[in-house]
Structures are given as structure tokens and as C-alpha cells.
Amino acid sequence: EAGVTQFPSHSVIEKGQTVTLRCDPISGHDNLYWYRRVMGKEIKFLLHFVKESKQDESGMPNNRFLAERTGGTYSTLKVQPAELEDSGVYFCASSQIREVLNTEAFFGQGTRLTVV
Amino acid sequence: GIQVEQSPPDLILQEGANSTLRCNFSDSVNNLQWFHQNPWGQLINLFYIPSGTKQNGRLSATTVATERYSLLYISSSQTTDSGVYFCAVEDWYGNKLVFGAGTILRVKS
């Protein structure tokens, strides 16, 4: 079974440009999450989809970030326009929905974004 | 929100040595996971352990939910164990992982 896959693995863009990150979750996982780690700091939550619906986007830093999950399958995270402080590693994770205990989340390999 | 503290912040071991990493959290949890971030940046799932004890080869973990801590044991460490170890938890109110700052482990040959 394929794991969570992210594309691209690395991206270097200039300040002011636009970048779109993609995440393909594990098949059958309705929960999809975006996290990021910037400047060696802690890994922080960005947002959570349940199928195609945004369940929680409290971690999105500002309106330069836009996430979508059309059809409840893969997700994209667009940064427009990118700023220097957006540099970091962006992780995607997915998990199954269960009624009681939350289930194990599996992470992709991450996209390393460098804004110059 | 829930707070997660990991200790020690960094650790240097000689190959073959054992170690214990600790994760304290400030509220009751319904999910706790340990991850290893390898030198390529990948987050590798080690344990899903909201309570109890699990073992996987040289690694084992114990979570004492009532006392709000978890321990990760690494025995007979190898150089490939080097990297950052993260503890992450979910409380009963949210549906997202909150990560600790991590423990940087370096195993020397």
C-alpha cells in the first residue's frame, strides 16, 4: 500500500512568486492534515480536511496560504505571494476516521520550501 | 491548548549504548505518537501509543496516561538511530497533533 506522497520534494522560489504543494493521502483516509516546520522550530499544525471539507484551519498563518481538497482525494497548498519567512518543510499527513479514539496519522516525506 | 515537553533536548551516545527519551504533556490525550525524523527529513512512525507499552525490535515505548508522560527506550543504539525524535499528542477537544520540540540524538561509532 502506498504511503502519503508529497510533490515536489524540494522547491526554491523567489520572494513574491507562487508555489503549489501537492499531497496524495493514503487511499481510504478521509482525514488530511498540513503541518510545517520553519527555521528549525517545532512542527506546527496548519489545517485539517475531512474529505473535501475544511474542518479546522486555525493554524493557517495568513491569507497568502490557500488549501484545497477537491473531491476529497489529493490536496494542494498554495502560497501566493511567497515571503522569506515561509521557508521551511511542509508536511502532509492522513488518517482514518474512527468514532472514539483518534487513529494513527501517517506523514509524507515533506516538501522543503526555500524562498530567496 | 495542550503543551508537550520533551527531554533531553539533545543526546550524544556511543554506539551500543541505551537511552530513554521522555515526553510530558499537560492534559489528557486520546492519541500519542512517536516519530523519528531521519537525516533526509522524513517523519517515520515509531509508535502509536495513547496508553500502555509497545515494543518493536530495539525500540519500546510506554505511556502512562494518568501521569501524563511517555517514554521511548532505545537499546543497543546504532548510528542509523541518529536524527530527531518527536513526540506528538492529540487532546480530546481537537483533531490535530501537537508536537514537542524534539530530542536530537547523535550516535557515534
PDB file of all heavy atoms in Angstrom, chain B residues 44-48 53-61 72-75 81:
ATOM      1  N   ILE B  44       9.213   9.292  10.320  1.00  0.00           N
ATOM      2  CA  ILE B  44       8.911   7.868  10.325  1.00  0.00           C
ATOM      3  C   ILE B  44       8.116   7.527  11.580  1.00  0.00           C
ATOM      4  O   ILE B  44       8.539   7.865  12.694  1.00  0.00           O
ATOM      5  CB  ILE B  44      10.210   7.033  10.316  1.00  0.00           C
ATOM      6  CG1 ILE B  44      11.119   7.489   9.177  1.00  0.00           C
ATOM      7  CG2 ILE B  44       9.887   5.551  10.228  1.00  0.00           C
ATOM      8  CD1 ILE B  44      10.537   7.319   7.798  1.00  0.00           C
ATOM      9  N   ASN B  45       6.970   6.888  11.405  1.00  0.00           N
ATOM     10  CA  ASN B  45       6.163   6.467  12.563  1.00  0.00           C
ATOM     11  C   ASN B  45       6.899   5.391  13.351  1.00  0.00           C
ATOM     12  O   ASN B  45       7.319   4.372  12.782  1.00  0.00           O
ATOM     13  CB  ASN B  45       4.827   5.902  12.106  1.00  0.00           C
ATOM     14  CG  ASN B  45       3.878   6.966  11.623  1.00  0.00           C
ATOM     15  OD1 ASN B  45       4.287   7.883  10.924  1.00  0.00           O
ATOM     16  ND2 ASN B  45       2.621   6.848  11.988  1.00  0.00           N
ATOM     17  N   LEU B  46       7.039   5.622  14.646  1.00  0.00           N
ATOM     18  CA  LEU B  46       7.635   4.622  15.511  1.00  0.00           C
ATOM     19  C   LEU B  46       6.548   3.886  16.296  1.00  0.00           C
ATOM     20  O   LEU B  46       6.467   2.670  16.262  1.00  0.00           O
ATOM     21  CB  LEU B  46       8.638   5.265  16.463  1.00  0.00           C
ATOM     22  CG  LEU B  46       9.866   5.901  15.833  1.00  0.00           C
ATOM     23  CD1 LEU B  46      10.745   6.533  16.909  1.00  0.00           C
ATOM     24  CD2 LEU B  46      10.658   4.884  15.027  1.00  0.00           C
ATOM     25  N   PHE B  47       5.751   4.673  17.018  1.00  0.00           N
ATOM     26  CA  PHE B  47       4.692   4.080  17.850  1.00  0.00           C
ATOM     27  C   PHE B  47       3.452   4.961  17.864  1.00  0.00           C
ATOM     28  O   PHE B  47       3.563   6.181  17.860  1.00  0.00           O
ATOM     29  CB  PHE B  47       5.168   3.897  19.310  1.00  0.00           C
ATOM     30  CG  PHE B  47       6.270   2.903  19.476  1.00  0.00           C
ATOM     31  CD1 PHE B  47       7.576   3.329  19.658  1.00  0.00           C
ATOM     32  CD2 PHE B  47       6.000   1.546  19.482  1.00  0.00           C
ATOM     33  CE1 PHE B  47       8.605   2.411  19.814  1.00  0.00           C
ATOM     34  CE2 PHE B  47       7.018   0.617  19.648  1.00  0.00           C
ATOM     35  CZ  PHE B  47       8.322   1.059  19.805  1.00  0.00           C
ATOM     36  N   TYR B  48       2.324   4.297  17.867  1.00  0.00           N
ATOM     37  CA  TYR B  48       1.026   4.915  18.155  1.00  0.00           C
ATOM     38  C   TYR B  48       0.647   4.363  19.518  1.00  0.00           C
ATOM     39  O   TYR B  48       0.339   3.181  19.637  1.00  0.00           O
ATOM     40  CB  TYR B  48       0.014   4.541  17.091  1.00  0.00           C
ATOM     41  CG  TYR B  48      -1.427   4.839  17.451  1.00  0.00           C
ATOM     42  CD1 TYR B  48      -1.879   6.141  17.554  1.00  0.00           C
ATOM     43  CD2 TYR B  48      -2.331   3.814  17.680  1.00  0.00           C
ATOM     44  CE1 TYR B  48      -3.203   6.413  17.870  1.00  0.00           C
ATOM     45  CE2 TYR B  48      -3.648   4.072  17.995  1.00  0.00           C
ATOM     46  CZ  TYR B  48      -4.092   5.370  18.090  1.00  0.00           C
ATOM     47  OH  TYR B  48      -5.399   5.634  18.402  1.00  0.00           O
ATOM     48  N   THR B  53       2.173  -0.158  26.811  1.00  0.00           N
ATOM     49  CA  THR B  53       3.548  -0.403  26.404  1.00  0.00           C
ATOM     50  C   THR B  53       3.567  -1.172  25.100  1.00  0.00           C
ATOM     51  O   THR B  53       2.764  -2.084  24.896  1.00  0.00           O
ATOM     52  CB  THR B  53       4.289  -1.214  27.499  1.00  0.00           C
ATOM     53  OG1 THR B  53       4.334  -0.439  28.692  1.00  0.00           O
ATOM     54  CG2 THR B  53       5.701  -1.548  27.062  1.00  0.00           C
ATOM     55  N   LYS B  54       4.492  -0.785  24.221  1.00  0.00           N
ATOM     56  CA  LYS B  54       4.689  -1.491  22.960  1.00  0.00           C
ATOM     57  C   LYS B  54       6.180  -1.665  22.718  1.00  0.00           C
ATOM     58  O   LYS B  54       6.985  -0.872  23.191  1.00  0.00           O
ATOM     59  CB  LYS B  54       4.068  -0.716  21.789  1.00  0.00           C
ATOM     60  CG  LYS B  54       2.561  -0.684  21.787  1.00  0.00           C
ATOM     61  CD  LYS B  54       2.041  -0.001  20.527  1.00  0.00           C
ATOM     62  CE  LYS B  54       0.527  -0.013  20.493  1.00  0.00           C
ATOM     63  NZ  LYS B  54      -0.006   0.678  19.281  1.00  0.00           N
ATOM     64  N   GLN B  55       6.500  -2.711  21.967  1.00  0.00           N
ATOM     65  CA  GLN B  55       7.898  -2.933  21.614  1.00  0.00           C
ATOM     66  C   GLN B  55       7.991  -3.239  20.141  1.00  0.00           C
ATOM     67  O   GLN B  55       7.123  -3.911  19.568  1.00  0.00           O
ATOM     68  CB  GLN B  55       8.481  -4.097  22.423  1.00  0.00           C
ATOM     69  CG  GLN B  55       9.934  -4.397  22.101  1.00  0.00           C
ATOM     70  CD  GLN B  55      10.696  -5.025  23.244  1.00  0.00           C
ATOM     71  OE1 GLN B  55      10.118  -5.387  24.261  1.00  0.00           O
ATOM     72  NE2 GLN B  55      11.992  -5.142  23.073  1.00  0.00           N
ATOM     73  N   ASN B  56       9.079  -2.738  19.535  1.00  0.00           N
ATOM     74  CA  ASN B  56       9.349  -3.020  18.144  1.00  0.00           C
ATOM     75  C   ASN B  56      10.862  -3.117  17.974  1.00  0.00           C
ATOM     76  O   ASN B  56      11.554  -2.112  17.840  1.00  0.00           O
ATOM     77  CB  ASN B  56       8.772  -1.923  17.247  1.00  0.00           C
ATOM     78  CG  ASN B  56       8.949  -2.243  15.777  1.00  0.00           C
ATOM     79  OD1 ASN B  56       9.431  -3.316  15.416  1.00  0.00           O
ATOM     80  ND2 ASN B  56       8.557  -1.310  14.920  1.00  0.00           N
ATOM     81  N   GLY B  57      11.344  -4.342  18.015  1.00  0.00           N
ATOM     82  CA  GLY B  57      12.787  -4.539  17.898  1.00  0.00           C
ATOM     83  C   GLY B  57      13.536  -3.940  19.068  1.00  0.00           C
ATOM     84  O   GLY B  57      13.230  -4.227  20.224  1.00  0.00           O
ATOM     85  N   ARG B  58      14.504  -3.067  18.736  1.00  0.00           N
ATOM     86  CA  ARG B  58      15.304  -2.432  19.795  1.00  0.00           C
ATOM     87  C   ARG B  58      14.596  -1.262  20.453  1.00  0.00           C
ATOM     88  O   ARG B  58      15.092  -0.675  21.401  1.00  0.00           O
ATOM     89  CB  ARG B  58      16.627  -1.946  19.192  1.00  0.00           C
ATOM     90  CG  ARG B  58      17.520  -3.057  18.656  1.00  0.00           C
ATOM     91  CD  ARG B  58      18.835  -2.483  18.132  1.00  0.00           C
ATOM     92  NE  ARG B  58      18.625  -1.627  16.969  1.00  0.00           N
ATOM     93  CZ  ARG B  58      18.663  -0.305  17.001  1.00  0.00           C
ATOM     94  NH1 ARG B  58      18.920   0.334  18.149  1.00  0.00           N
ATOM     95  NH2 ARG B  58      18.480   0.387  15.899  1.00  0.00           N
ATOM     96  N   LEU B  59      13.459  -0.883  19.920  1.00  0.00           N
ATOM     97  CA  LEU B  59      12.720   0.257  20.457  1.00  0.00           C
ATOM     98  C   LEU B  59      11.494  -0.214  21.236  1.00  0.00           C
ATOM     99  O   LEU B  59      10.847  -1.197  20.846  1.00  0.00           O
ATOM    100  CB  LEU B  59      12.256   1.178  19.327  1.00  0.00           C
ATOM    101  CG  LEU B  59      13.205   2.258  18.839  1.00  0.00           C
ATOM    102  CD1 LEU B  59      14.500   1.668  18.296  1.00  0.00           C
ATOM    103  CD2 LEU B  59      12.541   3.135  17.809  1.00  0.00           C
ATOM    104  N   SER B  60      11.211   0.490  22.298  1.00  0.00           N
ATOM    105  CA  SER B  60       9.963   0.257  23.020  1.00  0.00           C
ATOM    106  C   SER B  60       9.475   1.583  23.565  1.00  0.00           C
ATOM    107  O   SER B  60      10.245   2.547  23.664  1.00  0.00           O
ATOM    108  CB  SER B  60      10.146  -0.763  24.156  1.00  0.00           C
ATOM    109  OG  SER B  60      11.044  -0.273  25.120  1.00  0.00           O
ATOM    110  N   ALA B  61       8.178   1.635  23.863  1.00  0.00           N
ATOM    111  CA  ALA B  61       7.599   2.866  24.384  1.00  0.00           C
ATOM    112  C   ALA B  61       6.562   2.525  25.432  1.00  0.00           C
ATOM    113  O   ALA B  61       5.892   1.491  25.347  1.00  0.00           O
ATOM    114  CB  ALA B  61       6.965   3.688  23.261  1.00  0.00           C
ATOM    115  N   LEU B  72      10.314   6.753  25.537  1.00  0.00           N
ATOM    116  CA  LEU B  72      10.794   5.977  24.394  1.00  0.00           C
ATOM    117  C   LEU B  72      12.165   5.425  24.762  1.00  0.00           C
ATOM    118  O   LEU B  72      13.063   6.185  25.114  1.00  0.00           O
ATOM    119  CB  LEU B  72      10.900   6.857  23.153  1.00  0.00           C
ATOM    120  CG  LEU B  72      11.466   6.186  21.890  1.00  0.00           C
ATOM    121  CD1 LEU B  72      10.500   5.137  21.370  1.00  0.00           C
ATOM    122  CD2 LEU B  72      11.747   7.226  20.806  1.00  0.00           C
ATOM    123  N   TYR B  73      12.289   4.110  24.701  1.00  0.00           N
ATOM    124  CA  TYR B  73      13.546   3.444  25.024  1.00  0.00           C
ATOM    125  C   TYR B  73      14.224   2.981  23.742  1.00  0.00           C
ATOM    126  O   TYR B  73      13.594   2.359  22.887  1.00  0.00           O
ATOM    127  CB  TYR B  73      13.307   2.206  25.897  1.00  0.00           C
ATOM    128  CG  TYR B  73      12.536   2.449  27.166  1.00  0.00           C
ATOM    129  CD1 TYR B  73      11.163   2.228  27.214  1.00  0.00           C
ATOM    130  CD2 TYR B  73      13.172   2.886  28.324  1.00  0.00           C
ATOM    131  CE1 TYR B  73      10.443   2.425  28.380  1.00  0.00           C
ATOM    132  CE2 TYR B  73      12.459   3.076  29.496  1.00  0.00           C
ATOM    133  CZ  TYR B  73      11.093   2.848  29.515  1.00  0.00           C
ATOM    134  OH  TYR B  73      10.390   3.053  30.674  1.00  0.00           O
ATOM    135  N   ILE B  74      15.508   3.294  23.642  1.00  0.00           N
ATOM    136  CA  ILE B  74      16.303   2.800  22.527  1.00  0.00           C
ATOM    137  C   ILE B  74      17.422   1.959  23.121  1.00  0.00           C
ATOM    138  O   ILE B  74      18.232   2.471  23.916  1.00  0.00           O
ATOM    139  CB  ILE B  74      16.902   3.949  21.696  1.00  0.00           C
ATOM    140  CG1 ILE B  74      15.787   4.889  21.208  1.00  0.00           C
ATOM    141  CG2 ILE B  74      17.699   3.400  20.518  1.00  0.00           C
ATOM    142  CD1 ILE B  74      16.304   6.127  20.500  1.00  0.00           C
ATOM    143  N   SER B  75      17.470   0.690  22.760  1.00  0.00           N
ATOM    144  CA  SER B  75      18.524  -0.170  23.286  1.00  0.00           C
ATOM    145  C   SER B  75      19.540  -0.480  22.197  1.00  0.00           C
ATOM    146  O   SER B  75      19.215  -0.448  21.003  1.00  0.00           O
ATOM    147  CB  SER B  75      17.926  -1.467  23.831  1.00  0.00           C
ATOM    148  OG  SER B  75      17.334  -2.211  22.797  1.00  0.00           O
ATOM    149  N   ASP B  81      20.296   5.242  14.123  1.00  0.00           N
ATOM    150  CA  ASP B  81      19.273   5.787  15.022  1.00  0.00           C
ATOM    151  C   ASP B  81      19.376   7.310  15.143  1.00  0.00           C
ATOM    152  O   ASP B  81      18.473   7.943  15.710  1.00  0.00           O
ATOM    153  CB  ASP B  81      19.398   5.177  16.427  1.00  0.00           C
ATOM    154  CG  ASP B  81      19.112   3.683  16.460  1.00  0.00           C
ATOM    155  OD1 ASP B  81      18.340   3.209  15.597  1.00  0.00           O
ATOM    156  OD2 ASP B  81      19.675   2.999  17.337  1.00  0.00           O
TER     157      ASP B  81
END
